[in-house]
Amino acid sequence: MFKMVSYQELISQLGIDYTHPGGKAATDKWLKQIPKNLKNVLEVGCGTGETLKQLRDHTTAFLYGIDNCANMTTKAKNKTKDLHHMEIMQQNIEDLSFIHQFFDLIISESVLAFTPIDNSLPKLTNLLKPNGQIILLEMTTSSLLPQDKERIKTFYQLPQLLSKEDWLKQLLDHGYETVYLEKVEKESKKPITLPQHLSMEMLQTLNEHFQLNTIYANDLHTYLFIAKKRGENDDHICN
Amino acid sequence: MSHYDFCRQNVGRPVKIVTHDGIVHRGIIRRVNPSKVFIDPLDARRGAGGYGYGFFGYGRGLGLGIALGAIATIAFLPFFFW
């Protein structure tokens, strides 16, 4: 067997933009739909800051980006250093240090799927204002045999692998309503460019990633979910 | 555009190369010279144990060399990350 780095390690070492399915086109899809008059926006797993940079042109809100990887936050800080009202921090979702109901909008581009969602989604929901929105661009699966599911979960170190219906249920169970969803093309139209120096360990991981997505091309999908958190009044009725 | 020019302009990009003998190669363009293009192969055999250093004279920084004259078609390989 050949040595590999973990998938997350590969992504971190590549340090390239748009390491989420659908690339820039997928980001553009939701970017046009964000509400007006936002005050505070959070992107979890901001990576190199490419999405935050784009967001800057679409809203006057204060933009916050977190990523658990120092390599990424360094890049993101650098990329956005000339932009106003922007704060990038190295943080995990579990350790988010914002006050309750601070954000109008929270974005996760293929980030939540890699976290234990029973824990991370309530955490984010708590930070969202009533009627605030969450935008998720996440991996979904259709019918997969248990062993195939395990193979994917192991390689990507996924705590869970959810279907479109599972994601919907998660959102509805966690106090969201009016969920908009749309299937998104996984592959980017624009060819990607990889850095010049990839170690053998990185190439092994990159290859395994490519092979898995060839084998499971019809079983793994990407969905865009835009969900609104229930308002205070509704909360009251529920309580 | 010649295969040489295409390869030169797309170093670092994943491609699918089909040679005149019908063999399909997938990989990332590493470098090109007037006679060959070198790719880091994306190949199902790679992780299986029978492939790696030494295979095709393949080693770190060298890649798999394909004669430019043998190439029938070359195209970008659809690629994405999760």
Side-chain angles (χ1 to χ4, degrees):
Chain A
M1 279 308 282
F2 293 96
K3 275 203 286 184
M4 283 196 203
V5 295
S6 73
Y7 181 73
Q8 288 302 328
E9 188 61 32
L10 172 73
I11 294 295
S12 144
Q13 287 186 22
L14 289 176
I16 58 175
D17 300 336
Y18 297 117
T19 43
H20 59 252
K24 183 176 185 297
T27 299
D28 286 342
K29 244 181 216 301
W30 60 259
L31 208 50
K32 288 179 285 190
Q33 303 181 41
I34 62 166
K36 303 241 178 307
N37 305 320
L38 300 169
K39 279 204 173 66
N40 295 303
V41 175
L42 172 68
E43 188 193 9
V44 292
C46 66
T48 64
E50 196 57 37
T51 294
L52 288 171
K53 197 177 143 197
Q54 278 204 73
L55 256 172
R56 186 66 296 160
D57 296 334
H58 285 78
T59 174
T60 55
F62 202 106
L63 304 179
Y64 295 86
I66 63 150
D67 204 290
N68 64 3
C69 168
N71 182 26
M72 290 298 192
T73 50
T74 305
K75 277 180 191 276
K77 278 179 189 168
N78 227 333
K79 181 174 281 184
T80 58
K81 65 178 186 294
D82 297 328
L83 302 176
H84 294 292
H85 304 305
M86 179 88 73
E87 175 94 30
I88 289 156
M89 289 162 285
Q90 190 196 348
Q91 240 175 43
N92 290 314
I93 292 181
E94 298 80 55
D95 312 324
L96 273 172
S97 54
F98 293 96
I99 55 168
H100 178 62
Q101 301 189 352
F102 183 69
F103 292 106
D104 304 276
L105 175 66
I106 297 178
I107 298 143
S108 152
E109 291 184 307
S110 201
V111 173
L112 230 51
F114 291 87
T115 67
I117 192 163
D118 287 333
N119 201 350
S120 53
L121 187 57
K123 185 92 201 180
L124 295 181
T125 309
N126 178 45
L127 297 179
L128 206 54
K129 290 175 189 170
N131 297 311
Q133 284 193 6
I134 192 162
I135 295 176
L136 309 176
L137 183 72
E138 303 287 354
M139 179 197 295
T140 67
T141 174
S142 42
S143 53
L144 267 176
L145 293 171
Q147 63 264 37
D148 294 327
K149 215 168 170 175
E150 276 317 301
R151 187 177 171 192
I152 295 162
K153 281 171 70 179
T154 304
F155 177 73
Y156 291 107
Q157 300 178 328
L158 303 172
Q160 68 277 309
L161 180 47
L162 303 181
S163 68
K164 175 184 71 180
E165 290 77 17
D166 296 334
W167 278 104
L168 263 176
K169 188 173 183 309
Q170 283 285 344
L171 287 166
L172 295 173
D173 287 354
H174 284 105
Y176 292 88
E177 55 179 14
T178 55
V179 183
Y180 164 87
L181 77 152
E182 182 182 344
K183 193 174 179 181
V184 173
E185 185 81 41
K186 286 182 283 188
E187 285 149 0
S188 317
K189 294 273 180 289
K190 203 167 161 271
I192 62 152
T193 305
L194 298 164
Q196 191 58 251
H197 302 289
L198 302 180
S199 66
M200 285 305 282
E201 290 79 12
M202 286 170 79
L203 281 168
Q204 289 294 348
T205 308
L206 190 71
N207 185 54
E208 181 68 9
H209 161 69
F210 180 75
Q211 300 308 330
L212 278 180
N213 283 288
T214 305
I215 299 167
Y216 300 112
N218 298 319
D219 307 298
L220 295 175
H221 314 283
T222 303
Y223 272 85
L224 170 67
F225 301 88
I226 304 180
K228 196 179 90 173
K229 185 178 166 177
R230 269 197 291 273
E232 296 259 80
N233 291 339
D234 303 340
D235 276 354
H236 190 71
I237 292 163
C238 289
N239 292 339
Chain B
M1 195 192 307
S2 71
H3 292 321
Y4 175 73
D5 289 336
F6 180 89
C7 292
R8 266 189 64 127
Q9 285 169 26
N10 291 292
V11 169
R13 291 191 162 155
V15 290
K16 175 182 168 183
I17 295 174
V18 183
T19 46
H20 289 300
D21 53 11
I23 295 174
V24 179
H25 301 277
R26 293 179 181 84
I28 303 148
I29 300 180
R30 270 302 143 232
R31 61 189 183 90
V32 59
N33 65 32
S35 64
K36 277 185 173 183
V37 56
F38 294 86
I39 63 169
D40 280 325
L42 295 168
D43 188 309
R45 289 169 295 173
R46 186 181 188 117
Y51 191 95
Y53 298 98
F55 198 82
F56 292 128
Y58 173 69
R60 187 187 290 271
L62 197 65
L64 162 65
I66 301 166
L68 291 173
I71 296 176
T73 62
I74 179 164
F76 293 125
L77 191 63
F79 213 92
F80 72 97
F81 291 99
W82 287 110

